[in-house]
Structure formats: structure tokens, C-alpha cells
Coordinates of all heavy atoms in Angstrom, one line a residue:
M938 N 42.4 -10.6 -58.7 CA 41.8 -11.0 -57.5 C 42.8 -11.5 -56.5 O 42.7 -11.2 -55.3 CB 40.6 -12.0 -57.8 CG 39.6 -12.2 -56.8 SD 38.9 -10.6 -56.3 CE 37.2 -11.0 -56.5
K939 N 43.8 -12.3 -57.0 CA 44.8 -12.9 -56.0 C 45.7 -11.7 -55.5 O 46.0 -11.9 -54.3 CB 45.6 -13.9 -56.8 CG 44.9 -15.2 -57.1 CD 45.9 -16.2 -57.6 CE 45.2 -17.6 -57.8 NZ 46.1 -18.6 -58.2
K940 N 45.9 -10.7 -56.3 CA 46.7 -9.6 -55.8 C 46.0 -8.9 -54.7 O 46.6 -8.6 -53.7 CB 47.0 -8.7 -56.9 CG 48.1 -7.6 -56.6 CD 48.4 -6.8 -57.8 CE 49.5 -5.8 -57.4 NZ 49.9 -4.9 -58.6
S941 N 44.8 -8.6 -54.8 CA 44.0 -7.9 -53.8 C 43.9 -8.7 -52.5 O 43.8 -8.2 -51.3 CB 42.6 -7.4 -54.2 OG 41.9 -8.5 -54.7
R942 N 43.9 -10.1 -52.7 CA 43.8 -11.0 -51.5 C 45.2 -10.9 -50.7 O 45.1 -10.9 -49.5 CB 43.5 -12.4 -52.0 CG 43.5 -13.4 -50.8 CD 43.0 -14.7 -51.1 NE 41.7 -14.9 -50.7 CZ 40.9 -15.8 -51.0 NH1 41.3 -16.7 -51.8 NH2 39.7 -15.8 -50.5
K943 N 46.2 -10.9 -51.4 CA 47.5 -10.8 -50.9 C 47.7 -9.5 -50.1 O 48.2 -9.4 -49.0 CB 48.6 -11.0 -51.9 CG 48.8 -12.3 -52.4 CD 50.0 -12.4 -53.4 CE 50.2 -13.8 -53.9 NZ 51.3 -13.9 -54.9
I944 N 47.2 -8.4 -50.7 CA 47.3 -7.1 -50.1 C 46.4 -7.1 -48.8 O 46.8 -6.6 -47.7 CB 46.8 -6.0 -51.1 CG1 47.8 -5.8 -52.1 CG2 46.6 -4.6 -50.3 CD1 47.4 -4.9 -53.2
L945 N 45.2 -7.6 -48.9 CA 44.4 -7.7 -47.7 C 45.0 -8.5 -46.5 O 45.0 -8.1 -45.4 CB 43.0 -8.3 -48.1 CG 42.0 -8.4 -47.0 CD1 41.7 -6.9 -46.5 CD2 40.7 -9.0 -47.6
V946 N 45.6 -9.6 -46.9 CA 46.3 -10.4 -45.9 C 47.5 -9.7 -45.2 O 47.7 -9.7 -44.1 CB 46.7 -11.9 -46.5 CG1 47.7 -12.6 -45.5 CG2 45.5 -12.7 -46.8
A947 N 48.2 -9.0 -46.1 CA 49.4 -8.2 -45.7 C 48.9 -7.1 -44.7 O 49.5 -6.8 -43.6 CB 50.1 -7.6 -46.8
L948 N 47.8 -6.4 -45.1 CA 47.2 -5.4 -44.2 C 46.7 -5.9 -42.9 O 46.9 -5.3 -41.9 CB 46.1 -4.7 -45.0 CG 46.6 -3.7 -46.1 CD1 45.4 -3.1 -46.8 CD2 47.4 -2.6 -45.5
A949 N 46.2 -7.0 -42.9 CA 45.7 -7.7 -41.7 C 46.8 -8.0 -40.7 O 46.8 -7.8 -39.5 CB 44.9 -9.0 -42.0
G950 N 47.9 -8.6 -41.4 CA 49.1 -8.8 -40.5 C 49.7 -7.6 -40.0 O 50.1 -7.5 -38.8
V951 N 49.7 -6.5 -40.6 CA 50.3 -5.2 -40.1 C 49.4 -4.7 -39.0 O 49.8 -4.3 -38.0 CB 50.4 -4.2 -41.3 CG1 50.7 -2.8 -40.7 CG2 51.5 -4.5 -42.2
A952 N 48.1 -4.8 -39.2 CA 47.2 -4.3 -38.2 C 47.3 -5.1 -36.9 O 47.3 -4.6 -35.8 CB 45.7 -4.5 -38.7
I953 N 47.4 -6.4 -37.0 CA 47.7 -7.3 -35.8 C 48.9 -6.9 -35.1 O 49.0 -6.8 -33.9 CB 47.7 -8.7 -36.2 CG1 46.2 -9.2 -36.5 CG2 48.2 -9.6 -35.1 CD1 46.1 -10.6 -37.2
A954 N 50.0 -6.6 -35.9 CA 51.3 -6.3 -35.3 C 51.2 -5.0 -34.6 O 51.7 -4.7 -33.4 CB 52.4 -6.2 -36.4
V955 N 50.5 -3.9 -35.2 CA 50.3 -2.7 -34.5 C 49.5 -2.8 -33.3 O 49.9 -2.2 -32.2 CB 49.7 -1.7 -35.6 CG1 49.2 -0.4 -34.8 CG2 50.6 -1.3 -36.7
M956 N 48.5 -3.6 -33.2 CA 47.7 -3.8 -32.0 C 48.5 -4.4 -30.9 O 48.4 -4.0 -29.8 CB 46.5 -4.6 -32.4 CG 45.4 -3.9 -33.1 SD 44.0 -4.9 -33.7 CE 43.5 -5.7 -32.2
A957 N 49.4 -5.4 -31.3 CA 50.2 -6.1 -30.3 C 51.2 -5.0 -29.6 O 51.4 -5.1 -28.4 CB 50.9 -7.2 -31.0
V958 N 51.7 -4.2 -30.4 CA 52.7 -3.2 -29.9 C 51.9 -2.3 -29.1 O 52.4 -1.8 -28.0 CB 53.4 -2.4 -31.0 CG1 54.2 -1.2 -30.5 CG2 54.4 -3.4 -31.8
A959 N 50.8 -1.8 -29.5 CA 49.9 -0.9 -28.6 C 49.6 -1.5 -27.3 O 49.7 -0.7 -26.3 CB 48.7 -0.4 -29.4
V960 N 49.2 -2.7 -27.2 CA 48.8 -3.3 -26.0 C 50.0 -3.4 -25.1 O 49.9 -3.2 -23.9 CB 48.2 -4.8 -26.2 CG1 48.2 -5.6 -25.0 CG2 46.8 -4.7 -26.9
D961 N 51.3 -3.7 -25.6 CA 52.4 -3.8 -24.9 C 52.8 -2.4 -24.3 O 53.2 -2.4 -23.2 CB 53.6 -4.4 -25.8 CG 54.8 -4.6 -24.9 OD1 54.7 -5.2 -23.8 OD2 55.9 -4.3 -25.4
V962 N 52.6 -1.4 -25.1 CA 53.0 0.0 -24.6 C 52.0 0.4 -23.5 O 52.4 0.9 -22.5 CB 52.9 0.9 -25.7 CG1 53.0 2.3 -25.3 CG2 54.1 0.6 -26.7
L963 N 50.7 0.0 -23.7 CA 49.8 0.4 -22.6 C 49.9 -0.3 -21.4 O 49.4 0.1 -20.3 CB 48.3 0.2 -23.2 CG 48.0 1.3 -24.4 CD1 46.6 0.9 -24.9 CD2 48.0 2.7 -23.8
D964 N 50.4 -1.6 -21.5 CA 50.4 -2.4 -20.3 C 51.7 -2.3 -19.6 O 52.6 -3.2 -19.6 CB 50.2 -3.9 -20.7 CG 49.9 -4.8 -19.5 OD1 49.6 -4.4 -18.5 OD2 50.1 -6.0 -19.8
E965 N 52.0 -1.2 -18.9 CA 53.2 -0.9 -18.2 C 53.0 -0.3 -16.9 O 52.1 0.3 -16.7 CB 54.1 0.0 -19.1 CG 54.5 -0.6 -20.4 CD 55.5 0.2 -21.2 OE1 56.0 1.3 -20.6 OE2 55.9 -0.1 -22.3
D966 N 54.1 -0.4 -16.2 CA 54.1 0.2 -14.8 C 55.2 1.2 -14.8 O 56.3 1.0 -15.4 CB 54.4 -0.9 -13.7 CG 53.3 -1.9 -13.6 OD1 52.3 -1.8 -14.2 OD2 53.6 -2.8 -12.8
H967 N 55.0 2.4 -14.1 CA 56.0 3.4 -14.2 C 56.1 4.0 -12.7 O 55.1 4.3 -12.1 CB 55.7 4.6 -15.0 CG 55.5 4.2 -16.5 ND1 56.5 3.9 -17.3 CD2 54.3 4.0 -17.2 CE1 56.0 3.7 -18.6 NE2 54.7 3.6 -18.5
V968 N 57.3 4.0 -12.2 CA 57.5 4.8 -11.0 C 57.3 6.2 -11.1 O 57.8 6.8 -12.1 CB 58.9 4.4 -10.3 CG1 59.2 5.3 -9.1 CG2 59.1 3.0 -10.1
I969 N 56.5 6.9 -10.3 CA 56.2 8.2 -10.4 C 56.5 9.0 -9.1 O 56.6 8.4 -8.0 CB 54.7 8.4 -10.8 CG1 53.8 7.9 -9.8 CG2 54.4 7.9 -12.1 CD1 52.3 8.3 -9.9
P970 N 56.7 10.3 -9.2 CA 56.9 11.0 -7.9 C 55.5 11.0 -7.2 O 54.4 11.0 -7.8 CB 57.1 12.5 -8.4 CG 57.5 12.3 -9.8 CD 56.9 11.1 -10.4
A971 N 55.6 11.0 -5.9 CA 54.4 11.0 -5.0 C 53.4 12.2 -5.4 O 52.2 12.0 -5.3 CB 54.8 11.0 -3.6
D972 N 54.0 13.2 -5.8 CA 53.2 14.4 -6.1 C 52.2 14.2 -7.3 O 51.3 14.9 -7.6 CB 54.1 15.6 -6.4 CG 54.7 16.2 -5.2 OD1 54.2 16.0 -4.1 OD2 55.8 17.0 -5.3
N973 N 52.6 13.2 -8.1 CA 51.8 12.8 -9.3 C 50.6 11.9 -9.0 O 49.9 11.6 -9.9 CB 52.7 12.2 -10.4 CG 53.5 13.3 -11.0 OD1 53.6 14.4 -10.6 ND2 54.4 12.8 -12.0
L974 N 50.5 11.5 -7.7 CA 49.3 10.7 -7.3 C 48.0 11.6 -7.3 O 48.1 12.8 -7.2 CB 49.5 10.2 -6.0 CG 50.5 9.1 -5.8 CD1 50.8 8.8 -4.3 CD2 50.0 7.8 -6.4
P975 N 46.9 11.0 -7.6 CA 45.7 11.7 -7.5 C 45.6 12.4 -6.1 O 46.0 11.8 -5.1 CB 44.5 10.8 -7.7 CG 45.2 9.5 -8.4 CD 46.6 9.6 -8.0
L976 N 44.9 13.6 -6.0 CA 44.9 14.2 -4.8 C 44.2 13.4 -3.7 O 44.5 13.4 -2.5 CB 44.0 15.5 -5.0 CG 43.8 16.5 -3.8 CD1 45.2 16.9 -3.2 CD2 43.0 17.6 -4.1
A977 N 43.1 12.7 -4.1 CA 42.5 11.8 -3.1 C 43.3 10.7 -2.5 O 43.2 10.5 -1.3 CB 41.2 11.1 -3.7
A978 N 44.2 10.2 -3.3 CA 45.2 9.2 -2.7 C 46.2 9.8 -1.8 O 46.4 9.3 -0.7 CB 45.9 8.6 -4.0
K979 N 46.6 10.9 -2.1 CA 47.6 11.7 -1.2 C 46.9 12.0 0.0 O 47.4 11.9 1.1 CB 48.1 12.9 -1.9 CG 49.0 12.7 -3.1 CD 49.8 13.9 -3.6 CE 48.8 14.7 -4.4 NZ 49.4 15.8 -5.1
S980 N 45.6 12.5 0.0 CA 44.9 12.9 1.2 C 44.6 11.7 2.1 O 44.7 11.8 3.3 CB 43.5 13.5 0.8 OG 43.7 14.7 0.1
Y981 N 44.2 10.5 1.4 CA 44.1 9.3 2.2 C 45.3 8.9 3.0 O 45.2 8.5 4.2 CB 43.6 8.2 1.3 CG 43.3 6.9 2.0 CD1 42.0 6.6 2.4 CD2 44.4 6.0 2.2 CE1 41.8 5.5 3.2 CE2 44.1 4.8 2.9 CZ 42.8 4.6 3.4 OH 42.5 3.3 4.1
V982 N 46.4 9.1 2.3 CA 47.7 8.6 3.1 C 47.9 9.6 4.3 O 48.2 9.1 5.4 CB 48.9 8.7 2.1 CG1 50.2 8.5 2.9 CG2 48.7 7.5 1.1
Q983 N 47.8 10.9 3.9 CA 48.0 11.9 5.0 C 47.0 11.7 6.2 O 47.4 11.9 7.4 CB 47.9 13.3 4.5 CG 49.0 13.7 3.5 CD 48.8 15.0 2.8 OE1 47.7 15.6 2.9 NE2 49.8 15.5 2.2
D984 N 45.8 11.4 5.9 CA 44.8 11.3 6.9 C 44.8 10.0 7.8 O 44.5 10.0 8.9 CB 43.3 11.4 6.3 CG 43.0 12.8 5.8 OD1 43.8 13.8 5.9 OD2 42.0 12.9 4.9
N985 N 45.2 8.9 7.1 CA 45.1 7.7 7.8 C 46.6 7.1 8.2 O 46.6 6.1 8.9 CB 44.5 6.7 6.8 CG 43.1 7.0 6.6 OD1 42.2 6.7 7.4 ND2 42.8 7.5 5.4
F986 N 47.6 7.7 7.8 CA 48.9 7.3 8.2 C 49.8 8.6 8.6 O 50.7 8.9 8.0 CB 49.6 6.6 7.1 CG 49.0 5.3 6.7 CD1 48.0 5.3 5.6 CD2 49.1 4.1 7.3 CE1 47.3 4.2 5.2 CE2 48.6 3.0 6.9 CZ 47.6 3.0 5.9
P987 N 49.3 9.2 9.7 CA 50.0 10.4 10.1 C 51.5 10.0 10.5 O 51.8 9.0 11.0 CB 49.3 10.8 11.4 CG 48.3 9.8 11.7 CD 48.2 8.8 10.6
G988 N 52.4 10.9 9.9 CA 53.8 10.7 10.1 C 54.3 9.6 9.0 O 55.5 9.4 8.9
G989 N 53.5 9.0 8.4 CA 53.9 8.0 7.3 C 54.3 8.7 6.0 O 53.7 9.7 5.7
T990 N 55.3 8.3 5.4 CA 55.7 8.9 4.2 C 55.7 7.8 3.0 O 55.9 6.6 3.2 CB 57.1 9.5 4.2 OG1 58.1 8.5 4.6 CG2 57.2 10.6 5.2
I991 N 55.6 8.3 1.8 CA 55.5 7.5 0.6 C 56.9 7.1 0.2 O 57.7 7.9 -0.1 CB 54.7 8.2 -0.5 CG1 53.2 8.4 -0.1 CG2 54.8 7.3 -1.8 CD1 52.4 9.1 -1.0
A992 N 57.2 5.8 0.3 CA 58.6 5.3 -0.2 C 58.6 5.3 -1.7 O 59.7 5.6 -2.2 CB 58.9 3.9 0.5
Y993 N 57.6 4.8 -2.3 CA 57.5 4.9 -3.7 C 56.1 4.9 -4.3 O 55.2 4.3 -3.5 CB 58.3 3.8 -4.4 CG 57.7 2.5 -4.4 CD1 56.8 2.0 -5.4 CD2 58.1 1.5 -3.5 CE1 56.3 0.8 -5.4 CE2 57.5 0.3 -3.5 CZ 56.7 -0.1 -4.5 OH 56.1 -1.4 -4.5
A994 N 55.8 5.4 -5.4 CA 54.5 5.3 -6.0 C 54.7 4.8 -7.5 O 55.6 5.2 -8.1 CB 53.9 6.7 -6.0
K995 N 53.8 3.9 -7.9 CA 53.9 3.4 -9.2 C 52.5 3.6 -9.9 O 51.5 3.2 -9.3 CB 54.3 1.8 -9.0 CG 54.6 1.3 -10.3 CD 54.9 -0.3 -10.1 CE 56.0 -0.5 -9.2 NZ 56.4 -1.9 -9.3
K996 N 52.6 4.0 -11.1 CA 51.4 4.1 -12.0 C 51.3 2.8 -12.8 O 52.2 2.6 -13.5 CB 51.4 5.4 -12.8 CG 50.2 5.6 -13.7 CD 50.2 6.9 -14.4 CE 48.9 7.2 -15.2 NZ 49.0 8.3 -15.9
K997 N 50.2 2.2 -12.7 CA 50.0 0.9 -13.4 C 49.0 1.0 -14.5 O 47.9 1.4 -14.2 CB 49.6 -0.2 -12.4 CG 50.7 -0.4 -11.3 CD 50.2 -1.3 -10.2 CE 49.7 -2.6 -10.6 NZ 49.3 -3.5 -9.6
N998 N 49.5 0.8 -15.7 CA 48.6 0.9 -16.8 C 48.3 -0.4 -17.4 O 49.3 -1.1 -17.7 CB 49.1 1.9 -17.9 CG 49.2 3.3 -17.5 OD1 48.2 3.9 -17.0 ND2 50.3 3.9 -17.6
D999 N 47.1 -0.8 -17.7 CA 46.9 -2.0 -18.5 C 45.8 -1.5 -19.5 O 45.5 -0.3 -19.6 CB 46.4 -3.2 -17.6 CG 45.0 -3.0 -16.9 OD1 44.2 -2.2 -17.4 OD2 44.8 -3.7 -16.0
L1000 N 45.5 -2.4 -20.4 CA 44.6 -2.0 -21.4 C 43.3 -1.3 -21.1 O 42.8 -0.5 -21.7 CB 44.3 -3.3 -22.3 CG 43.7 -3.2 -23.6 CD1 44.4 -2.2 -24.5 CD2 43.5 -4.4 -24.3
Y1001 N 42.7 -1.7 -19.9 CA 41.4 -1.2 -19.6 C 41.3 -0.3 -18.4 O 40.3 0.2 -18.0 CB 40.5 -2.4 -19.3 CG 40.3 -3.3 -20.5 CD1 41.0 -4.5 -20.5 CD2 39.6 -2.9 -21.6 CE1 40.8 -5.3 -21.6 CE2 39.5 -3.7 -22.7 CZ 40.1 -5.0 -22.7 OH 40.1 -5.7 -23.8
R1002 N 42.4 -0.1 -17.6 CA 42.3 0.7 -16.4 C 43.8 1.2 -16.1 O 44.8 0.7 -16.4 CB 41.7 0.0 -15.3 CG 42.6 -1.1 -14.6 CD 41.7 -1.8 -13.5 NE 42.6 -2.8 -12.9 CZ 43.1 -2.7 -11.6 NH1 42.6 -1.7 -11.0 NH2 43.9 -3.6 -11.2
T1003 N 43.7 2.2 -15.2 CA 44.8 2.8 -14.6 C 44.7 2.7 -13.2 O 43.6 3.0 -12.6 CB 45.1 4.3 -15.0 OG1 45.2 4.4 -16.4 CG2 46.2 4.9 -14.4
S1004 N 45.8 2.3 -12.4 CA 45.8 2.3 -11.0 C 47.1 2.7 -10.5 O 48.0 2.9 -11.2 CB 45.4 0.9 -10.4 OG 46.4 0.0 -10.9
Y1005 N 47.2 2.9 -9.2 CA 48.3 3.4 -8.5 C 48.7 2.5 -7.4 O 47.9 2.2 -6.5 CB 48.1 4.9 -8.0 CG 47.9 5.9 -9.1 CD1 46.6 6.1 -9.5 CD2 49.0 6.5 -9.7 CE1 46.4 7.0 -10.5 CE2 48.7 7.4 -10.8 CZ 47.4 7.7 -11.1 OH 47.1 8.5 -12.2
E1006 N 49.9 2.1 -7.2 CA 50.5 1.3 -6.2 C 51.4 2.1 -5.3 O 52.2 2.8 -5.9 CB 51.3 0.1 -6.7 CG 51.8 -0.8 -5.7 CD 52.6 -2.0 -6.3 OE1 52.0 -2.7 -7.2 OE2 53.7 -2.2 -5.8
V1007 N 51.1 2.2 -4.0 CA 51.9 3.1 -3.2 C 52.5 2.2 -2.0 O 51.7 1.4 -1.4 CB 51.0 4.2 -2.6 CG1 51.8 5.0 -1.5 CG2 50.5 5.1 -3.6
K1008 N 53.8 2.3 -1.7 CA 54.4 1.7 -0.6 C 54.8 2.8 0.4 O 55.5 3.7 0.0 CB 55.5 0.8 -1.1 CG 56.1 0.1 0.1 CD 57.0 -1.1 -0.3 CE 57.4 -1.9 0.9 NZ 58.1 -3.1 0.6
L1009 N 54.4 2.6 1.7 CA 54.8 3.6 2.7 C 56.1 3.1 3.4 O 56.4 1.9 3.4 CB 53.6 3.8 3.7 CG 52.3 4.1 3.1 CD1 51.3 4.2 4.2 CD2 52.4 5.5 2.3
N1010 N 56.8 4.1 4.1 CA 58.0 3.7 4.7 C 57.7 2.8 5.9 O 58.7 2.2 6.5 CB 58.7 5.1 5.2 CG 57.8 5.8 6.2 OD1 56.6 5.6 6.4 ND2 58.4 6.8 6.9
N1011 N 56.5 2.6 6.4 CA 56.2 1.7 7.5 C 55.8 0.3 6.9 O 55.4 -0.6 7.8 CB 55.1 2.2 8.4 CG 53.8 2.5 7.6 OD1 53.7 2.0 6.4 ND2 52.8 3.1 8.2
G1012 N 56.0 0.1 5.7 CA 55.7 -1.3 5.2 C 54.3 -1.4 4.5 O 54.1 -2.5 3.7
F1013 N 53.4 -0.6 4.8 CA 52.0 -0.7 4.2 C 52.1 -0.5 2.6 O 52.8 0.3 2.2 CB 51.1 0.4 4.8 CG 50.4 -0.1 6.0 CD1 50.9 0.2 7.2 CD2 49.3 -0.8 6.0 CE1 50.4 -0.2 8.3 CE2 48.5 -1.2 7.2 CZ 49.1 -0.9 8.4
E1014 N 51.3 -1.3 2.0 CA 51.2 -1.2 0.5 C 49.7 -0.8 0.3 O 48.8 -1.6 0.8 CB 51.6 -2.4 -0.2 CG 53.2 -2.6 -0.1 CD 53.7 -3.8 -0.9 OE1 52.9 -4.2 -1.8 OE2 54.7 -4.3 -0.6
L1015 N 49.4 0.1 -0.5 CA 48.1 0.6 -0.8 C 48.0 0.6 -2.3 O 48.9 0.8 -3.1 CB 47.8 1.9 -0.3 CG 48.0 2.1 1.2 CD1 48.3 3.6 1.4 CD2 46.8 1.7 1.9
E1016 N 46.7 0.3 -2.8 CA 46.4 0.5 -4.2 C 45.2 1.4 -4.4 O 44.2 1.2 -3.7 CB 46.1 -0.9 -4.9 CG 46.1 -0.8 -6.4 CD 46.2 -2.1 -7.2 OE1 47.0 -2.9 -6.7 OE2 45.7 -2.3 -8.2
F1017 N 45.3 2.2 -5.3 CA 44.3 3.2 -5.6 C 43.8 3.1 -7.1 O 44.6 2.8 -8.0 CB 44.7 4.7 -5.4 CG 45.3 4.9 -4.0 CD1 46.5 4.8 -3.6 CD2 44.3 5.3 -3.0 CE1 47.0 5.0 -2.3 CE2 44.8 5.6 -1.7 CZ 46.1 5.5 -1.4
D1018 N 42.6 3.4 -7.3 CA 42.1 3.5 -8.7 C 42.4 4.8 -9.3 O 43.2 5.7 -8.6 CB 40.6 3.3 -8.8 CG 39.7 4.3 -8.2 OD1 40.3 5.4 -7.8 OD2 38.5 4.1 -8.0
K1019 N 42.1 5.1 -10.5 CA 42.5 6.3 -11.2 C 42.1 7.6 -10.6 O 42.7 8.7 -10.7 CB 42.1 6.3 -12.7 CG 40.6 6.3 -12.9 CD 40.3 6.3 -14.3 CE 38.8 6.5 -14.6 NZ 38.4 6.4 -15.9
N1020 N 41.0 7.4 -9.8 CA 40.5 8.6 -9.0 C 41.1 8.8 -7.7 O 40.7 9.8 -6.9 CB 39.0 8.6 -8.9 CG 38.3 8.5 -10.3 OD1 38.7 9.3 -11.2 ND2 37.4 7.6 -10.5
G1021 N 41.8 7.9 -7.2 CA 42.5 8.0 -5.9 C 41.7 7.3 -4.8 O 42.0 7.4 -3.6
C1022 N 40.7 6.4 -5.1 CA 40.1 5.7 -4.2 C 40.7 4.4 -3.8 O 41.2 3.8 -4.8 CB 38.6 5.3 -4.7 SG 37.6 6.8 -4.9
V1023 N 40.8 4.1 -2.6 CA 41.5 2.8 -2.2 C 40.8 1.6 -2.7 O 39.6 1.4 -2.6 CB 41.6 2.7 -0.6 CG1 42.2 1.4 -0.2 CG2 42.3 3.9 -0.1
T1024 N 41.5 0.7 -3.4 CA 41.0 -0.6 -3.9 C 41.5 -1.7 -3.2 O 41.0 -2.9 -3.2 CB 41.1 -0.8 -5.3 OG1 42.6 -0.6 -5.7 CG2 40.5 0.4 -6.2
D1025 N 42.7 -1.6 -2.5 CA 43.4 -2.8 -1.8 C 44.5 -2.2 -0.9 O 45.0 -1.2 -1.2 CB 44.0 -3.7 -2.8 CG 44.3 -5.1 -2.3 OD1 43.8 -5.5 -1.2 OD2 45.1 -5.8 -3.0
F1026 N 44.8 -3.0 0.1 CA 45.9 -2.7 1.0 C 46.5 -3.9 1.7 O 45.7 -4.8 1.9 CB 45.5 -1.5 2.0 CG 44.7 -2.0 3.1 CD1 45.0 -2.6 4.2 CD2 43.3 -1.9 2.9 CE1 44.2 -3.0 5.2 CE2 42.3 -2.3 3.9 CZ 42.8 -2.8 5.1
D1027 N 47.7 -3.9 1.9 CA 48.4 -4.9 2.7 C 49.4 -4.3 3.7 O 49.9 -3.3 3.4 CB 49.3 -5.8 1.8 CG 48.5 -6.6 0.8 OD1 47.5 -7.1 1.1 OD2 48.8 -6.6 -0.5
D1028 N 49.4 -5.0 4.9 CA 50.4 -4.5 5.9 C 51.6 -5.4 6.0 O 51.7 -6.4 5.4 CB 49.7 -4.3 7.2 CG 49.1 -5.7 7.7 OD1 49.1 -6.6 7.0 OD2 48.7 -5.5 8.9

């Protein structure tokens, strides 16, 4: 019985370690090409910021959602959800 308890405790420890690594991997930001933004996000920028260009785009992953951060060459910063809908902006 003691041996099976030790095995169970060891397996629980391994499971916790694997979950911690998975959360760390999923919770990352990556700079991406502007072409990799959702179509709705690219259309929003083109329609609302004529002549504006995307200085950088970042894909933000956390455990529960994906979003995109976009900074334009005119200083505007926009945030989009995974579908390309605007969720926040700063000038």
C-alpha cells in the first residue's frame, strides 16, 4: 500500500509540473507579420486609418483567449479579439 501511495504522489507531482509548463507555453506574446492578423482587423485598420501602416503586430496568447495588439506608425495602439473585432485602443 505504501508503494502505491508513493507512486500516486509521484504521478501527481509530474502532472502538476506538466500543467505548469503548458500554462507557461500558452501564455506568450509573439510578434507576427501584419498579414497574419485576422481579416477583420486588417480591414478595420485600412477603413479607419487611411494612409496608416502597421508598425508591428503581436499575437497574445493566454490560457483562455487569443488577442492581437497592433501599433500603427501614427502612434495608435489597437487591440483585437481572435476574430478581429476591436476590444481596446489608445492614441
Side-chain angles (χ1 to χ4, degrees):
M938 200 54 127
K939 285 187 177 187
K940 186 175 184 178
S941 59
R942 177 175 258 169
K943 286 182 181 180
I944 291 172
L945 185 60
V946 169
L948 287 174
V951 169
I953 290 170
V955 168
M956 287 174 50
V958 169
V960 167
D961 186 46
V962 167
L963 291 174
D964 191 20
E965 292 189 9
D966 297 351
H967 302 283
V968 174
I969 61 169
D972 289 340
N973 289 2
L974 289 168
L976 181 59
K979 292 187 285 188
S980 296
Y981 182 88
V982 170
Q983 290 172 350
D984 294 345
N985 293 285
F986 298 94
T990 59
I991 296 174
Y993 77 83
K995 191 184 293 186
K996 184 175 183 179
K997 299 166 61 174
N998 293 311
D999 65 25
L1000 191 56
Y1001 301 106
R1002 71 183 186 115
T1003 298
S1004 62
Y1005 298 89
E1006 181 181 309
V1007 173
K1008 184 164 187 171
L1009 304 179
N1010 63 341
N1011 61 6
F1013 273 91
E1014 292 185 19
L1015 305 156
E1016 189 161 327
F1017 299 93
D1018 66 12
K1019 68 180 180 180
N1020 298 316
C1022 297
V1023 177
T1024 58
D1025 194 18
F1026 67 92
D1027 294 317
D1028 58 354

